Amino acid sequence: MSEDVDLPESHPRYESLLTRHRIEAGVDRGITSRQGLIAQGRGEAFDYLLGERTIDSADDAERAAAAHLLSAEHPVVSVNGNAAALVPGELVELAEVTGADLEVNLFNRTEERIEAIAKYLREHGATDVKGLTADGRIPGLDHERAKVDADGIGAADVVLVPLEDGDRAEALGEMGKTELVIDLNPQSRSAEVATVPIIDNIIRAIPTITEHARDLRGDPDAQRDAIETFDADSALTAAERTIREGDLE
Ligand code: PTJ
């Protein structure tokens, strides 16, 4: 991780500074929207209160998410401007390990940004990136925000949506899809409507889901167990409790 910014890893705020740098660079490259900077700031505040660590309930959620992706007929990992800037290679690896499609899907959609993100993912090893066809629609949303690939998110049974806007998360859920949401705010609507809310920083969440997927691959019983023992309401409550009790050091 150290190649993209001149920061000593020993710096107490190393991860946070690196994250900021990546989001800033994402805006400069035309990958991340300017609103993405604001979203990152909001996320950081929650992460600070969580202790900038993966709490146990988030790890359980990450294991359940891995199990859902592995046992899906057609899993898709949705990629927006923040996700692409923060964890491009890690998203490609997760898709490979779970057999999921990668689809660029933007809240503030522009063709230029879709192209730039697809190119960036290819530079990080992706062979097939969806999201450019946009021949499907999510019902109940305005035109631009509704666009998906018919054979991608349109046909998916399980979708991983990192840092999603609440309206779209709700609309995707109404399409009957199993939704796995990464969001540091346990009270965001996206987290509340998710089958599996993952209250963790995407920087930590994606590699951890991949690690669980490697462990669960080829073991349907363990996958079923991870899915059945996960309880979304308890995970949200545990995260909120941690945040409320968080130390402001
Ligand atoms: O690239 P686009 O056009 O698809 O736009 C992406 C953003 C994120 C700008 C768009 O979806 C948006 O405006 O989202 P919101 O409504 O600001 O919600 C983003 C959520 O992600 C908030 O609840 C933040 O707390 C959370 N968040 C921000 N950074 C992180 C995060 N969650 C996990 N990891 C992060 N690094």
Side-chain angles (χ1 to χ4, degrees):
M1 278 226 219
S2 58
E3 76 282 4
D4 53 1
V5 61
D6 187 18
L7 277 173
E9 288 195 35
S10 58
H11 191 291
R13 309 219 57 76
Y14 174 75
E15 200 181 85
S16 157
L17 294 172
L18 178 70
T19 304
R20 286 183 180 195
H21 171 84
R22 287 192 175 182
I23 289 284
E24 227 183 332
V27 174
D28 291 345
R29 274 174 200 267
I31 285 174
T32 310
S33 74
R34 283 184 300 167
Q35 287 195 15
L37 295 166
I38 301 167
Q40 171 62 31
R42 181 150 44 143
E44 243 178 54
F46 286 109
D47 204 17
Y48 196 67
L49 292 169
L50 276 169
E52 293 173 331
R53 70 201 153 101
T54 300
I55 60 173
D56 290 347
S57 53
D59 187 63
D60 292 343
E62 283 151 8
R63 192 165 177 83
H68 274 291
L69 289 168
L70 288 168
S71 50
E73 289 277 320
H74 184 172
V76 175
V77 174
S78 179
V79 183
N80 68 14
N82 285 52
L86 292 176
V87 280
E90 292 85 346
L91 287 166
V92 173
E93 198 178 342
L94 173 65
E96 266 170 26
V97 172
T98 58
D101 282 338
L102 284 170
E103 177 163 341
V104 184
N105 191 256
L106 303 183
F107 179 68
N108 296 299
R109 184 188 173 93
T110 67
E111 291 310 312
E112 293 73 22
R113 217 147 56 80
I114 299 249
E115 297 277 356
I117 293 171
K119 180 165 169 266
Y120 196 54
L121 291 173
R122 280 189 223 105
E123 283 167 15
H124 283 83
T127 43
D128 185 23
V129 181
K130 293 193 184 292
L132 299 144
T133 321
D135 52 350
R137 295 290 177 270
I138 307 170
L141 292 179
D142 67 64
H143 190 67
E144 287 305 307
R145 285 175 190 166
K147 287 183 176 172
V148 291
D149 276 17
D151 67 350
I153 290 177
D157 53 346
V158 174
V159 195
L160 174 67
V161 280
L163 286 61
E164 182 60 277
D165 157 80
D167 266 359
R168 294 203 334 158
E170 211 164 339
L172 277 171
E174 278 165 16
M175 289 175 85
K177 300 184 190 302
T178 296
E179 236 180 317
L180 320 169
V181 166
I182 301 173
D183 195 318
L184 278 157
N185 177 4
Q187 286 205 359
S188 79
R189 251 187 321 139
S190 322
E192 283 178 346
V193 299
T195 313
V196 180
I198 300 161
I199 312 304
D200 199 5
N201 196 320
I202 187 173
I203 291 245
R204 298 186 298 269
I206 297 290
T208 310
I209 299 172
T210 305
E211 210 178 288
H212 282 301
R214 286 212 167 90
D215 183 45
L216 291 168
R217 211 164 29 174
D219 190 344
D221 288 342
Q223 289 168 24
R224 209 172 311 112
D225 188 56
I227 291 170
E228 282 171 7
T229 54
F230 177 74
D231 183 73
D233 287 337
S234 315
L236 290 174
T237 307
E240 190 177 331
R241 197 185 319 116
T242 309
I243 287 170
R244 286 187 187 280
E245 291 168 359
D247 268 345
L248 277 174
E249 283 168 9

